[in-house]
Amino acid sequence: MPRKKKEDQKPDMPPIELPKMKERPQLVKGMKDILPGDQCYWEYIRDTARSIASLYSFDRIDTPVVESAALFTHGLGKLTDIVEKEMYAFIDQGGQNLALRPEFTAGVARAYLEHGMNVWPQPVKLYAVGPVFRHDKPQEGRYRQHNQFSCEIIGEGKPAADAQLMFLAYKFLKTVGLMPQLHVNSIGCLACRSVFKEQLIEYYRSKRSVLCEDCKRRLTKNPLRILDCKNDTCQELKAKAPHIVDSLCESCQSHFMGVVDFLDELDIPYQHNPHLVRGIDYYTRTVFEFYALKEESPEGDDDEKKAAPIALGGGGRYDNLIEMFGGVSTPASGFALGIERIILAMKAREAAGGVRCVPPRKPIDIFVAQLGEQAKRKAMLLFEDLIADGFSVAESFTKDSLKAQLELANKMGVKLSLILGQQELIDGTIIIRNMEGGEQEVVDRKKLMKILHRKLIVENGDISNP
Ligand code: AMP
């Protein structure tokens, strides 16, 4: 509705005050708008995720954003950064303890149990795409709402499942134009981990005073978490910490060898990262992470920053989770890739190498231009007919000036413009303007579709929407 001009207001009416906000509303810290210019990346990533997941027989699952807080505190571990510091937990109006999901796996495992998927043919392969929430410290590539593409294989314990997940993630990242660096490790089962924990405590005991406050606490309660602490000193100390693979029991060792053999066979480049543990307690045996080398740092030409890898995603095996949630022992593994990080890496690659990671947009074939009120109405119908016939069409029905409309058509790189004016309406004709050369021809309105098909398909052979 157009705003009422002051002079239009009735003199005996008091001016109507709008309830204005004191301050202009702003994006909540750590959140991100995805503007139209970026949607091509999102669409491409979602499409690629969908098609690769279905190639490997993964079915889509959508779990709710809101779950019970206990699902995560119990599943991920109370002393993990995600649960301890980052989870958006709240009590709702009904007094329920809830949380915005900080990751997908726990919700998918809950759904597996709740919907009796244990009686489906095993393994059950599921994928999800959507937002997760973490009260992280906001910075480039780190948001409080970010989106993940996650895949889970539930009901299969063999190394082939882990390898297939890594291969799928690798293929996905390669398809969207990245050069993923895969790091792999095994953190064993609960038995080998308890041996390793003793070794870690032994190693860190004498260094306790220089550990960060969190890690001092972790040393007694959950020493494994020290290995994924981001604090600089803790990171430095990690370099000489014992390696968990040296404490693996025979069965975990042979499982890890099995995974690595598959990776060799599949020819995926990877490196064994002996300190990789991942930041969540439910992991058992295989853990892995994908990094992208930052091709060009937005911070400048500092060499160190240039080489800093950004984590694109990670995953691993979680053989105890279903049982921890009350089901029977069910091996499982999965991964989650961070979509915002992937897009950052795609853009960095595009900027550095001049390559295009996202396929170019479909060109628009036809612009419908009109002159005069009556022609405008008919042009709207013509627009619908053209869409129905499979053409990709643009318009600007709010513009009256023909010059402005043709300028817009030019900007859009349209091949042909159709011009419908008062005279053409009377004559039952329409003008076809070739936007490249500027030549125009007047054609019979009834023959228009046939002519357009000939021009765009037969003559050019390159109509974008057959
Ligand atoms: P994680 O399971 O914590 O390793 O998360 C999987 C992936 O999600 C990471 O490798 C990142 O690519 C992405 N990710 C995690 N946290 C954030 C965040 N706060 N903002 C953006 N992406 C994130």
Side-chain angles (χ1 to χ4, degrees):
M1 281 277 284
R3 273 237 201 107
K4 220 173 185 188
K5 283 189 203 150
K6 276 210 168 113
E7 56 268 30
D8 291 344
Q9 277 178 358
K10 288 190 180 142
D12 51 341
M13 268 180 63
I16 300 167
E17 281 290 318
L18 284 176
K20 284 190 185 165
M21 274 178 93
K22 279 203 185 94
E23 280 173 25
R24 200 189 274 195
Q26 282 186 340
L27 191 69
V28 171
K29 193 173 171 195
M31 301 291 161
K32 197 175 185 298
D33 293 317
I34 303 167
L35 299 179
D38 264 359
Q39 293 294 344
C40 55
Y41 291 91
W42 287 86
E43 272 165 34
Y44 183 50
I45 283 176
R46 288 190 193 112
D47 287 351
T48 310
R50 193 181 312 123
S51 65
I52 289 189
S54 80
L55 277 182
Y56 289 82
S57 311
F58 283 75
D59 289 319
R60 175 150 182 156
I61 184 164
D62 289 294
T63 57
V65 162
V66 176
E67 297 271 6
S68 79
L71 182 80
F72 303 112
T73 44
H74 198 81
L76 278 61
K78 273 193 189 117
L79 280 186
T80 56
D81 275 1
I82 294 183
V83 168
E84 206 178 23
K85 300 179 182 167
E86 298 165 5
M87 192 159 78
Y88 278 88
F90 59 99
I91 297 173
D92 78 352
Q93 290 84 339
Q96 297 185 96
N97 245 318
L98 303 175
L100 302 185
R101 65 177 178 216
E103 56 105 61
F104 275 109
T105 305
V108 173
R110 173 201 53 70
Y112 174 88
L113 275 176
E114 210 160 341
H115 300 284
M117 294 186 207
N118 52 319
V119 300
W120 295 7
Q122 303 291 300
V124 175
K125 294 165 104 180
L126 301 166
Y127 82 95
V129 180
V132 300
F133 302 82
R134 296 179 189 177
H135 198 268
D136 242 328
K137 201 169 150 201
Q139 52 187 272
E140 196 191 21
R142 192 170 287 284
Y143 312 104
R144 291 181 175 168
Q145 173 179 331
H146 75 274
N147 289 268
Q148 294 188 346
F149 162 40
S150 99
C151 285
E152 319 286 345
I153 300 182
I154 308 182
E156 179 54 73
K158 296 202 184 85
D162 311 29
Q164 189 180 56
L165 284 163
M166 281 183 254
F167 190 58
L168 193 161
Y170 177 75
K171 199 162 158 178
F172 169 81
L173 293 167
K174 289 278 285 184
T175 305
V176 299
L178 302 180
M179 305 237 284
Q181 317 285 308
L182 173 61
H183 289 200
V184 194
N185 195 19
S186 172
I187 57 167
C189 60
L190 290 181
C192 18
R193 220 176 308 157
S194 75
V195 177
F196 180 63
K197 275 182 187 169
E198 291 307 319
Q199 291 179 8
L200 268 188
I201 294 170
E202 184 62 32
Y203 171 76
Y204 280 111
R205 193 173 286 136
S206 58
K207 300 160 182 71
R208 191 180 184 281
S209 58
V210 288
L211 287 174
C212 73
E213 287 311 307
D214 280 341
C215 284
K216 279 181 186 148
R217 227 162 18 92
R218 288 169 180 146
L219 188 55
T220 47
K221 296 203 163 156
N222 194 348
L224 216 70
R225 294 277 70 82
I226 301 177
L227 294 177
D228 49 45
C229 177
K230 310 281 184 303
N231 176 282
D232 287 346
T233 316
C234 302
Q235 282 275 336
E236 274 167 35
L237 289 177
K238 188 170 83 170
K240 289 193 177 143
H243 295 174
I244 192 160
V245 277
D246 298 332
S247 312
L248 294 185
C249 65
E250 227 173 89
S251 156
C252 288
Q253 213 167 41
S254 96
H255 191 278
F256 188 44
M257 292 317 294
V259 171
V260 166
D261 280 350
F262 270 114
L263 296 181
D264 288 333
E265 193 63 39
L266 290 164
D267 213 14
I268 311 176
Y270 68 89
Q271 72 183 73
H272 175 216
N273 177 345
H275 289 131
L276 182 67
V277 289
R278 303 270 300 139
I280 297 174
D281 285 355
Y282 57 55
Y283 284 116
T284 47
R285 294 190 159 174
T286 318
V287 285
F288 58 90
E289 232 155 54
F290 284 97
Y291 297 94
L293 289 184
K294 251 190 177 180
E295 296 268 315
E296 216 161 71
S297 160
E299 286 92 354
D301 51 11
D302 175 338
D303 273 349
E304 227 175 282
K305 279 179 186 163
K306 252 189 189 176
I310 57 166
L312 299 172
R317 187 154 274 293
Y318 49 95
D319 288 343
N320 299 327
L321 187 64
I322 302 279
E323 199 176 347
M324 279 161 66
F325 284 166
V328 294
S329 174
T330 308
S333 48
F335 70 75
L337 301 176
I339 299 182
E340 283 79 355
R341 297 271 178 92
I342 292 171
I343 292 176
L344 271 181
M346 287 164 81
K347 287 183 176 175
R349 175 154 288 278
E350 285 177 337
V355 285
R356 241 192 110 85
C357 293
V358 178
R361 283 183 77 153
K362 277 183 183 171
I364 298 167
D365 301 316
I366 300 164
F367 187 96
V368 177
Q370 33 69 38
L371 199 60
E373 273 313 304
Q374 232 185 331
K376 194 182 297 244
R377 281 194 283 274
K378 294 290 176 207
M380 278 187 168
L381 292 178
L382 172 61
F383 183 83
E384 294 305 316
D385 291 344
L386 290 164
I387 294 177
D389 251 46
F391 294 105
S392 73
V393 201
E395 49 68 41
S396 182
F397 293 134
T398 52
K399 282 192 172 52
D400 295 328
S401 142
L402 184 61
K403 187 167 171 260
Q405 291 177 67
L406 292 179
E407 272 170 11
L408 183 64
N410 243 337
K411 246 192 226 157
M412 291 175 167
V414 171
K415 292 170 198 155
L416 302 175
S417 284
L418 303 179
I419 304 169
L420 193 62
Q422 201 57 33
Q423 192 57 52
E424 289 74 32
L425 273 188
I426 296 165
D427 298 346
T429 58
I430 191 159
I431 299 169
I432 303 180
R433 181 184 172 92
N434 183 336
M435 295 304 287
E436 214 179 273
E439 318 86 55
Q440 297 194 163
E441 58 181 307
V442 180
V443 301
D444 184 345
R445 173 78 182 77
K446 289 197 193 87
K447 294 184 184 151
L448 178 65
M449 294 301 179
K450 232 184 197 169
I451 297 171
L452 289 176
H453 274 284
R454 183 174 45 76
K455 280 189 180 297
L456 290 164
I457 302 176
V458 183
E459 284 177 14
N460 290 343
D462 61 355
I463 187 173
S464 55
N465 256 335

